Amino acid sequence: MPASSSRSVRAASRSLAKHATLIVVSVLLGFPLLWMVLTSLKTNPQSLAIPPLWWPHPFVWRNYPDMLSAVPFWRFVLNTLMYAGVTIVGVCVSSSLVAYGFSRIRWRGRDILFQVMVGTLLIPFFATLIPLFTMYKQFHMVGWYLPLMIPTFLGSSVFSTFLLRQFFMTIPESLSDAARVDGANEFTIFSRIILPMAKPALATVILFQFIYCWNDFLGPLIYINNQVWFPLSLGLNLILGTYTTDWPWVMAAATAATAPIIVLFFFTQRTFIQGIAIQGTGVKG
């Protein structure tokens, strides 16, 4: 067999193996989503049947309107969008300013302080939970979203700062030098040159922050005590009963809450991938 043919066979075999592996992994990862959707269309006895009933018969489409009438679903959605919108503004403003200082301005101890900031990612949320709750309670902020929103305006999103800093480091310094020669100050350079070029990185930050807020359960659980202000992740927990639970309703609520994120992912796959790529670039000192 010619060498070229042998290489083609090996390449085809590797490609086939990769695709087969991806198909198997996709099926394994997608099965819980499929089970969730199918269970949302069953009756409650069917959802509890042993052995499991894989296919609902008949399809109970009524579970979705019944679930929506059982809880103020759209109120929870609006609360979540409000929570996400405010924190996105806070993260974009504070993280971009801090990232600019760490990437474009040279000052004594900059790199050491940046390493310390990144090191705070290793501190678990539970280690600071009680001190933060005590502090916010003394400030009379507990009961609404203030403990979750205000920190985002103070640079609390270390991950977003790190991501933007990595992107800013890839922008040539010559652009900033040329602007300084023309008399521009640092804020002008930041707002008129750096930020317009950082739209892909900012889009990634916005996307990640939105998904974080959409899925956030523990933060609202700790700080929000009024059901009127529950976000979607916490409000849907009201469907769970004390003694009995209608599991098709639970799965219908989970499907309704998961569907927007899945749709968002399909439309923003490039942004996700770009966000991962940004983290590995611009690492110069």
Side-chain angles (χ1 to χ4, degrees), residues 83-93 152 205-207 209-210 213:
Y83 170 35
V86 175
T87 57
I88 284 173
V89 173
V91 167
C92 287
V93 172
T152 62
V205 169
I206 292 172
L207 183 62
Q209 182 65 23
F210 176 81
C213 293

Side-chain angles (χ1 to χ4, degrees), residues 186-217:
E186 291 297 335
F187 184 78
T188 301
I189 297 172
F190 166 72
S191 60
R192 296 190 178 184
I193 297 176
I194 303 300
L195 280 186
M197 297 182 65
K199 288 180 181 178
L202 289 173
T204 304
V205 169
I206 292 172
L207 183 62
F208 284 2
Q209 182 65 23
F210 176 81
I211 293 176
Y212 170 79
C213 293
W214 190 271
N215 295 326
D216 189 16
F217 178 82

Side-chain angles (χ1 to χ4, degrees), residues 24-166:
V24 171
V25 173
S26 299
V27 170
L28 292 176
L29 295 178
F31 176 76
L33 295 176
L34 178 62
W35 177 258
M36 177 180 67
V37 174
L38 291 177
T39 303
S40 70
L41 299 173
K42 299 176 182 177
T43 62
N44 200 42
Q46 288 177 346
S47 67
L48 301 173
I50 299 178
L53 180 65
W54 298 100
W55 198 260
H57 181 75
F59 285 89
V60 186
W61 300 101
R62 185 68 189 173
N63 288 333
Y64 284 88
D66 288 346
M67 179 274 297
L68 293 175
S69 63
V71 295
F73 180 85
W74 299 113
R75 172 73 184 187
F76 296 153
V77 171
L78 290 176
N79 291 340
T80 306
L81 293 177
M82 180 269 298
Y83 170 35
V86 175
T87 57
I88 284 173
V89 173
V91 167
C92 287
V93 172
S94 63
S95 295
S96 60
L97 286 170
V98 176
Y100 182 82
F102 276 127
S103 61
R104 313 294 294 187
I105 302 176
R106 295 193 175 275
W107 41 278
R108 186 182 300 273
R110 182 191 71 173
D111 295 336
I112 295 177
L113 186 59
F114 175 74
Q115 294 171 5
V116 171
M117 183 196 72
V118 174
T120 60
L121 290 172
L122 300 176
I123 302 176
F125 173 72
F126 305 101
T128 60
L129 180 61
I130 296 178
L132 286 176
F133 180 85
T134 303
M135 180 185 71
Y136 289 129
K137 188 175 182 180
Q138 291 177 348
F139 291 156
H140 305 287
M141 293 183 180
V142 175
W144 202 61
Y145 287 93
L146 289 179
L148 303 174
M149 292 178 175
I150 289 179
T152 62
F153 288 88
L154 303 176
S156 65
S157 181
V158 176
F159 171 77
S160 298
T161 302
F162 170 75
L163 190 147
L164 290 173
R165 185 258 187 186
Q166 298 299 92

